[in-house]
Amino acid sequence: MSLFNKIQIMKKVIILLLFFPFFQNTFSQNVLLNKEDIIGRWVEVKEINNQIEDIEFPYTYIFRDNDTFHLGEASDGVILFNVAGKYTIHEDVISIIYLDFLKGNAHNRKAKQISLKVLSINSNLMTAMVTDYDYSYKLLLKKQDLTQ
């Protein structure tokens, strides 16, 4: 193989390596989140045959502007907010460190961690893969409009 051919091959390899990050970003499924995307009140819903349906006793997720997180459970028309903590956002993952105030007492309560890998998000619907210690599940949340 001549020196000219080796140089031509090296040029092609370098060009491919330079464009690899562009192609990776273009075709990847990652969602880049901003805090403004998630701030607000989100209610758990389910999807059946491509239709979004409410759950009778849904969980309510609240992400505040000051990085505070609250989780409430609905029961008989009342929402009990028994989980509170802090969240951070890194690319497409929301990491939450929280305390469950119904379990234990102030002396033996331990912080727990959960992460939501956001698969898709628009103005009123978020799909995420939740990882909670040793198991994962898909979560569908609908943003609640509080002006109604």
Side-chain angles (χ1 to χ4, degrees):
M1 188 182 278
S2 72
L3 182 60
F4 179 76
N5 287 341
K6 288 181 181 179
I7 292 173
Q8 291 299 326
I9 291 173
M10 289 301 293
K11 283 182 181 179
K12 290 177 183 176
V13 168
I14 290 171
I15 289 172
L16 284 175
L17 289 175
L18 289 174
F19 282 103
F20 180 74
F22 170 75
F23 289 120
Q24 186 178 14
N25 285 338
T26 302
F27 297 110
S28 70
Q29 296 282 331
N30 289 351
V31 175
L32 293 179
L33 291 175
N34 294 313
K35 188 186 288 189
E36 294 78 24
D37 296 331
I38 66 165
I39 290 175
R41 185 176 183 145
W42 297 82
V43 179
E44 185 178 25
V45 293
K46 62 183 174 181
E47 184 176 8
I48 299 175
N49 299 325
N50 295 325
Q51 297 291 327
I52 305 302
E53 296 186 11
D54 292 331
I55 297 175
E56 185 176 2
F57 299 113
Y59 285 101
T60 300
Y61 295 72
I62 296 177
F63 297 96
R64 297 193 184 275
D65 190 28
N66 64 357
D67 302 329
T68 304
F69 168 78
H70 299 279
L71 176 67
E73 184 176 358
S75 178
D76 297 326
V78 175
I79 300 175
L80 177 61
F81 287 97
N82 58 323
V83 173
K86 291 283 192 178
Y87 71 91
T88 58
I89 299 172
H90 181 60
E91 293 182 1
D92 61 346
V93 176
I94 305 168
S95 297
I96 302 167
I97 296 177
Y98 68 92
L99 293 172
D100 186 341
F101 292 101
L102 290 182
K103 295 187 178 160
N105 58 39
H107 300 292
N108 64 7
R109 192 175 294 126
K110 293 183 180 177
K112 296 181 181 180
Q113 184 171 356
I114 189 170
S115 65
L116 285 72
K117 179 176 176 43
V118 177
L119 305 174
S120 68
I121 188 168
N122 62 34
S123 61
N124 66 349
L125 201 61
M126 179 189 326
T127 305
M129 184 59 69
V130 178
T131 303
D132 190 1
Y133 290 99
D134 59 347
Y135 65 96
S136 295
Y137 56 94
K138 192 173 180 181
L139 178 66
L140 188 59
L141 298 170
K142 182 170 75 172
K143 193 162 194 177
Q144 195 170 47
D145 184 9
L146 299 177
T147 60
Q148 297 177 354

